[in-house]
């Protein structure tokens, strides 16, 4: 009887730890998405200010902005995938 109680306690503690890990992964994914949104917003803001100062360089600035935004999105996607992997494995 005592062994069953210990086993049950161990199973309940493992389940609670798994739930906490899932919540942590969800929070981390949300933070990664929020940080990417803020970063892309700052990139866009800076690009628009630069285009307002020098409209003739709009093409070069736009392409640089797209590359930088793509890199931020890639980093955010990588972070979200890592969070999802911790969620399932």
């Amino acid at each position: 009887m005592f062994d069953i109680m210990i086993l049950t306690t161990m199973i309940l503690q493992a389940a609670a730890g798994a739930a906490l890990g899932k919540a942590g992964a969800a929070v981390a994914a949300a933070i990664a998405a929020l940080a990417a949104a803020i970063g892309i917003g700052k990139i866009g803001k800076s690009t628009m200010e630069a285009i307002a100062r020098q409209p003739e360089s709009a093409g070069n600035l736009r392409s640089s902005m797209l590359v930088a935004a793509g890199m931020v999105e890639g980093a955010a996607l990588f972070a979200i995938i890592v969070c999802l992997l911790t969620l399932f494995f």
Side-chain angles (χ1 to χ4, degrees):
M1 184 69 177
F2 185 69
D3 292 334
I4 293 174
M5 290 175 55
I6 292 175
L7 182 63
T8 305
T9 304
M10 289 174 58
I11 291 172
L12 288 174
Q13 287 177 351
L20 188 60
K22 288 182 180 184
V27 169
I31 290 172
L34 184 65
I38 291 170
I40 291 175
K42 286 186 177 187
I43 291 169
K45 176 187 170 200
S46 298
T47 303
M48 291 300 120
E49 288 175 355
I51 289 174
R53 284 190 210 113
Q54 292 182 341
E56 65 274 0
S57 64
N60 293 335
L61 290 170
R62 189 177 303 119
S63 62
S64 297
M65 177 190 70
L66 289 174
V67 169
M71 292 180 77
V72 171
E73 280 292 324
L77 183 62
F78 180 72
I80 291 172
I81 288 173
V82 168
C83 293
L84 289 175
L85 285 175
T86 59
L87 191 67
F88 294 116
F89 294 113

